[in-house]
Amino acid sequence: MGPARPRPSRRGRTTSALRFFRDSGEAYNTARTLTDLAETRLDGDEFEAALPLIEEVLAALEGENAAYHVAHLRGLRERCVTPQ
């Protein structure tokens, strides 16, 4: 057994997944991954970094039947514009 390799961070894994889904044209998984990345940013109080991710997902979901996801994103956006 060789030395243990460092585990990639959640943000690193999410960024890699985002690249994959964008490159493969998977809109749904791109939106979910952007949401995960935005939540990770919010967990780190990175409100300015999270907001454009949230806005991108909201624009992508416009006109889709995604009311639950859109409501969740609006809540995340509210955290960005009115941080506690």
Side-chain angles (χ1 to χ4, degrees), residues 8-49:
S9 68
R10 177 178 178 200
R11 186 178 297 176
R13 289 188 310 270
T14 305
T15 301
S16 294
L18 178 59
R19 188 177 314 111
F20 173 81
F21 293 133
R22 279 188 168 154
D23 289 348
S24 61
E26 295 186 41
Y28 174 81
N29 286 321
T30 297
R32 294 294 306 160
T33 305
L34 282 167
T35 302
D36 290 345
L37 190 55
E39 289 171 334
T40 300
R41 300 280 186 178
L42 287 172
D43 289 346
D45 293 333
E46 299 175 55
F47 303 105
E48 290 179 16

